Structures are given as C-alpha cells and as structure tokens.
Amino acid sequence: GRAGRMDVALRVAEAWGQRDDLAHQSAAVLLLGAAASRASRRDTRAIAAAASFADRLAEGMYDADAQEAASAAFLTAARARFAIGDWPGADQDFRRALECGLETTREELLAEVAGAAHQAGDYERAIEMYTDLVDNAGRSDLAARLADSLTRFGSFTAALERFGVYLAEPRAVPTIWLLTREALIFLRESGFDDTERDPDLAARRLDARPADETSEQTVDRCLFAARADPLFEPAWRELGAHQLERERLGLAYGPLILAAIVKRSPEAWARVFITAHRGDNRVLAEAAVHMGAGDYGDEFHVAVRNEAGVSAEDTAAIAAAADEADRASGRWRRGDAPPGGEM
C-alpha cells in the first residue's frame, strides 16, 4: 500500500542522505518529495517525517554552502508541510528556501500544492489552500479551481457561489468551468443538496437491478444511486445512455455532461457530442469537441466512432460532424494534424 511504499522511500532516502556527497543527498531530497506527493494525505506521520528529514538535509547543505541544493530541500519540506496543513512549519521552510535563492512566491507554491492535493483526491485540503489563496492573497483567478474542489467534496452551494464570483469578473473562461457550473445547476435543479459522498453505497444501489426492470425503474435506480453520491459517474452515465436510447435527448444532456465532468475521458466527451449532435444542440456539441479533441486529440475522434452505436452510415455522419467541428475550432492550427489528414 501507499503507507508501505512511503516507509521504504524514507529508509532509502535516509541511507542516501547519510552519504557525504551532494549527489546522493540531492537524490534523497528528490525521493522524499516524490514519495510525499504520492502518499495518502491521511498519513500525516510519514509526510511529517519526510519533511523533517528534508529539513535536516537542507541544513547540512546550507552549512556546506550548497545554496541551490539547500533551497530545493527546504522547498521539498515546505511542500510536504503545506500538504498536511502545517502552515507555520511550511512558511518557515519556505522563508529558508528564499534565503537560499529560491525564485518563486509563497502563493505559487501554495497553488502548486493545492493542485496536487486536488489531483490526489484530498479535496478538503485543496479547499483549505485554495480558500487561503483566493480570500487572503487576492488570487481570484483560482476561484474556479476552488469551486471545482468544493464540487468534488460535495459542497455544491459553496461551489456555485465561487463560480458566480469567478464568472462575474471579465476574463476568458475555460470551457470546463462553464460546463462544470452547468452540471452543478443541473444537480441543484434535480434536487441534490450538499452531501457527504458515499461511492460504495452508490455502487451497491446501482448494481441492484431487477431482472424485469422497466424504463421508469431504471431511471429511479440510477437516481437512487446518485443520492448516495451525486458525483457517482456510472449512475449518470447509465442514466444518460438510457435516456439517449429512448431518444429523450433533453433528459440525456444533464446526466452525460455530469458524467463527463467527473470522468474526463475521450469516451465521456464523445457521448456528450453524439447526444448533442443528434439533438441539434450545436453549442453543446462544440463544447464537447473543444473538451474531447482539445484534451485527447485523435483518441476523442476514435471514441466518437466507437460510441456512436448506430448504422455504419450514421456513424460516418457523426464522425464527420466531429471532424468538421474540430477543424472549425482551429485547434489543429496550433500544431496538431487536422482530423482526417495531414496539415
């Protein structure tokens, strides 16, 4: 498990750190940073131990006048302490890194660590750090990332409020944030309130499918699963596919957008595009291409062909529409080969 790997990394780093040469000590610092970034944020003991050892290495490097190496070691310790909420310790390490010539700011470091916490699924810690940046450091540009972490944590009301503040200022808004806000509005309009997510319960509810299930029962089962975890992607994906199969396109948009926001895969965005194309929803279709092709390139176009699930003629028409939307977006002009051929 993660805890075991962290213990091994600490032992190896300690062995390297006891060597007298700077190369092994610097390698130990890199290993400590990598291990701490991958550790569960609940394993505060091990992360704190990594930070303390990085501090000791940094002090030795500083005494040996290896300023650049010491700066990197203090920064590693600061990252680890930020990740476990040791603000005073992190700030002290960060100031020491600055003394050694570090060319960055506390806000940049905190934003980096907050992003790492979000990616690791530690949304509560990410919320804490993003809130500090937005409210205390004037980083309103990070309000959408705060809203995203709040969404993943299940705090939909606060997330919508943060998105409102973010969108109120004049700026170029990435498509993902517009779609995430729409997904939140869909959740609230569907009666979903702030909740503590329980994906295990949601999975059990979704799997409880009767043999003779009616269409109405399918909808109820998917929604019952989502009540346990409003961001349980399989429930929304199944509900969206069910509504699409019955040509209730207007009822398929919300579930499929929400599934794509959570999953963020070429297949998820392909399903949104196919549904929007069939429903003649050009704005949503273009947004799906922007997200799918922009993030995944050819994988998105392959997914469109695989997910179409209709006749070969219809599949070709849908794929051609995705190619044309991608060409019209101008994405390929930035260096990618255009869909369907070379530049």
Side-chain angles (χ1 to χ4, degrees), residues 55 97 140 144-145 147 178 191 205 223 232 263 309:
D55 274 334
S140 62
R145 296 194 179 278
L178 294 172
R205 288 178 174 182
L223 290 175
F232 190 61
K263 186 72 172 179

PDB file of all heavy atoms in Angstrom, residues 55 97 140 144-145 147 178 191 205 223 232 263 309:
ATOM      1  N   ASP A  55      14.397  18.790   5.947  1.00  0.00           N
ATOM      2  CA  ASP A  55      14.942  19.943   6.678  1.00  0.00           C
ATOM      3  C   ASP A  55      16.376  19.682   7.132  1.00  0.00           C
ATOM      4  O   ASP A  55      17.253  20.549   7.014  1.00  0.00           O
ATOM      5  CB  ASP A  55      14.069  20.248   7.900  1.00  0.00           C
ATOM      6  CG  ASP A  55      12.889  21.142   7.573  1.00  0.00           C
ATOM      7  OD1 ASP A  55      12.986  21.898   6.594  1.00  0.00           O
ATOM      8  OD2 ASP A  55      11.887  21.080   8.295  1.00  0.00           O
ATOM      9  N   ALA A  97      14.031  28.645   2.151  1.00  0.00           N
ATOM     10  CA  ALA A  97      14.302  28.424   0.724  1.00  0.00           C
ATOM     11  C   ALA A  97      14.566  29.755   0.020  1.00  0.00           C
ATOM     12  O   ALA A  97      15.448  29.849  -0.840  1.00  0.00           O
ATOM     13  CB  ALA A  97      13.132  27.688   0.077  1.00  0.00           C
ATOM     14  N   SER A 140      -8.043  35.722  -7.301  1.00  0.00           N
ATOM     15  CA  SER A 140      -9.395  35.432  -7.778  1.00  0.00           C
ATOM     16  C   SER A 140      -9.386  34.527  -8.999  1.00  0.00           C
ATOM     17  O   SER A 140     -10.379  33.871  -9.308  1.00  0.00           O
ATOM     18  CB  SER A 140     -10.130  36.731  -8.109  1.00  0.00           C
ATOM     19  OG  SER A 140      -9.455  37.434  -9.147  1.00  0.00           O
ATOM     20  N   ALA A 144     -12.174  29.365  -9.617  1.00  0.00           N
ATOM     21  CA  ALA A 144     -12.794  28.223 -10.302  1.00  0.00           C
ATOM     22  C   ALA A 144     -12.193  26.913  -9.815  1.00  0.00           C
ATOM     23  O   ALA A 144     -12.902  25.905  -9.695  1.00  0.00           O
ATOM     24  CB  ALA A 144     -12.624  28.357 -11.816  1.00  0.00           C
ATOM     25  N   ARG A 145     -10.895  26.903  -9.548  1.00  0.00           N
ATOM     26  CA  ARG A 145     -10.285  25.681  -9.023  1.00  0.00           C
ATOM     27  C   ARG A 145     -10.780  25.398  -7.610  1.00  0.00           C
ATOM     28  O   ARG A 145     -10.980  24.235  -7.239  1.00  0.00           O
ATOM     29  CB  ARG A 145      -8.759  25.807  -9.052  1.00  0.00           C
ATOM     30  CG  ARG A 145      -8.210  25.929 -10.472  1.00  0.00           C
ATOM     31  CD  ARG A 145      -6.717  25.712 -10.531  1.00  0.00           C
ATOM     32  NE  ARG A 145      -6.250  25.812 -11.901  1.00  0.00           N
ATOM     33  CZ  ARG A 145      -6.302  24.824 -12.789  1.00  0.00           C
ATOM     34  NH1 ARG A 145      -6.796  23.650 -12.427  1.00  0.00           N
ATOM     35  NH2 ARG A 145      -5.864  24.993 -14.018  1.00  0.00           N
ATOM     36  N   ALA A 147     -13.786  26.237  -6.642  1.00  0.00           N
ATOM     37  CA  ALA A 147     -15.137  25.733  -6.887  1.00  0.00           C
ATOM     38  C   ALA A 147     -15.115  24.277  -7.318  1.00  0.00           C
ATOM     39  O   ALA A 147     -15.977  23.481  -6.921  1.00  0.00           O
ATOM     40  CB  ALA A 147     -15.825  26.590  -7.955  1.00  0.00           C
ATOM     41  N   LEU A 178     -17.305  26.475 -17.436  1.00  0.00           N
ATOM     42  CA  LEU A 178     -18.701  26.733 -17.822  1.00  0.00           C
ATOM     43  C   LEU A 178     -19.530  25.460 -17.729  1.00  0.00           C
ATOM     44  O   LEU A 178     -20.664  25.477 -17.231  1.00  0.00           O
ATOM     45  CB  LEU A 178     -18.734  27.288 -19.251  1.00  0.00           C
ATOM     46  CG  LEU A 178     -18.096  28.663 -19.465  1.00  0.00           C
ATOM     47  CD1 LEU A 178     -18.041  28.982 -20.950  1.00  0.00           C
ATOM     48  CD2 LEU A 178     -18.867  29.736 -18.707  1.00  0.00           C
ATOM     49  N   GLY A 191     -32.710  18.483  -7.425  1.00  0.00           N
ATOM     50  CA  GLY A 191     -32.992  18.236  -6.013  1.00  0.00           C
ATOM     51  C   GLY A 191     -31.827  17.710  -5.205  1.00  0.00           C
ATOM     52  O   GLY A 191     -32.034  17.201  -4.097  1.00  0.00           O
ATOM     53  N   ARG A 205     -26.271   0.372  -4.751  1.00  0.00           N
ATOM     54  CA  ARG A 205     -27.615   0.723  -5.228  1.00  0.00           C
ATOM     55  C   ARG A 205     -27.725   0.577  -6.743  1.00  0.00           C
ATOM     56  O   ARG A 205     -28.734   0.095  -7.263  1.00  0.00           O
ATOM     57  CB  ARG A 205     -27.953   2.154  -4.812  1.00  0.00           C
ATOM     58  CG  ARG A 205     -28.215   2.322  -3.323  1.00  0.00           C
ATOM     59  CD  ARG A 205     -28.492   3.777  -2.988  1.00  0.00           C
ATOM     60  NE  ARG A 205     -28.887   3.960  -1.595  1.00  0.00           N
ATOM     61  CZ  ARG A 205     -29.215   5.129  -1.050  1.00  0.00           C
ATOM     62  NH1 ARG A 205     -29.178   6.233  -1.800  1.00  0.00           N
ATOM     63  NH2 ARG A 205     -29.564   5.213   0.222  1.00  0.00           N
ATOM     64  N   LEU A 223     -31.014   7.297 -10.171  1.00  0.00           N
ATOM     65  CA  LEU A 223     -31.125   8.468  -9.302  1.00  0.00           C
ATOM     66  C   LEU A 223     -30.955   8.085  -7.834  1.00  0.00           C
ATOM     67  O   LEU A 223     -30.373   8.849  -7.052  1.00  0.00           O
ATOM     68  CB  LEU A 223     -32.473   9.147  -9.521  1.00  0.00           C
ATOM     69  CG  LEU A 223     -32.644   9.847 -10.868  1.00  0.00           C
ATOM     70  CD1 LEU A 223     -34.066  10.374 -11.020  1.00  0.00           C
ATOM     71  CD2 LEU A 223     -31.639  10.988 -11.022  1.00  0.00           C
ATOM     72  N   PHE A 232     -21.316  10.186  -8.633  1.00  0.00           N
ATOM     73  CA  PHE A 232     -21.019   8.795  -8.983  1.00  0.00           C
ATOM     74  C   PHE A 232     -21.220   8.627 -10.486  1.00  0.00           C
ATOM     75  O   PHE A 232     -22.340   8.478 -10.969  1.00  0.00           O
ATOM     76  CB  PHE A 232     -21.926   7.847  -8.196  1.00  0.00           C
ATOM     77  CG  PHE A 232     -21.530   6.408  -8.316  1.00  0.00           C
ATOM     78  CD1 PHE A 232     -20.292   5.972  -7.891  1.00  0.00           C
ATOM     79  CD2 PHE A 232     -22.410   5.482  -8.862  1.00  0.00           C
ATOM     80  CE1 PHE A 232     -19.928   4.638  -8.003  1.00  0.00           C
ATOM     81  CE2 PHE A 232     -22.049   4.152  -8.982  1.00  0.00           C
ATOM     82  CZ  PHE A 232     -20.802   3.731  -8.554  1.00  0.00           C
ATOM     83  N   LYS A 263     -15.628  12.144 -15.053  1.00  0.00           N
ATOM     84  CA  LYS A 263     -14.723  11.146 -15.635  1.00  0.00           C
ATOM     85  C   LYS A 263     -13.599  11.781 -16.439  1.00  0.00           C
ATOM     86  O   LYS A 263     -12.450  11.319 -16.392  1.00  0.00           O
ATOM     87  CB  LYS A 263     -15.523  10.219 -16.552  1.00  0.00           C
ATOM     88  CG  LYS A 263     -14.733   9.046 -17.108  1.00  0.00           C
ATOM     89  CD  LYS A 263     -14.445   8.017 -16.046  1.00  0.00           C
ATOM     90  CE  LYS A 263     -13.835   6.761 -16.640  1.00  0.00           C
ATOM     91  NZ  LYS A 263     -13.522   5.760 -15.618  1.00  0.00           N
ATOM     92  N   GLY A 309     -22.676   3.736 -32.005  1.00  0.00           N
ATOM     93  CA  GLY A 309     -23.600   2.628 -31.775  1.00  0.00           C
ATOM     94  C   GLY A 309     -24.797   2.583 -32.690  1.00  0.00           C
ATOM     95  O   GLY A 309     -25.856   2.101 -32.291  1.00  0.00           O
TER      96      GLY A 309
END
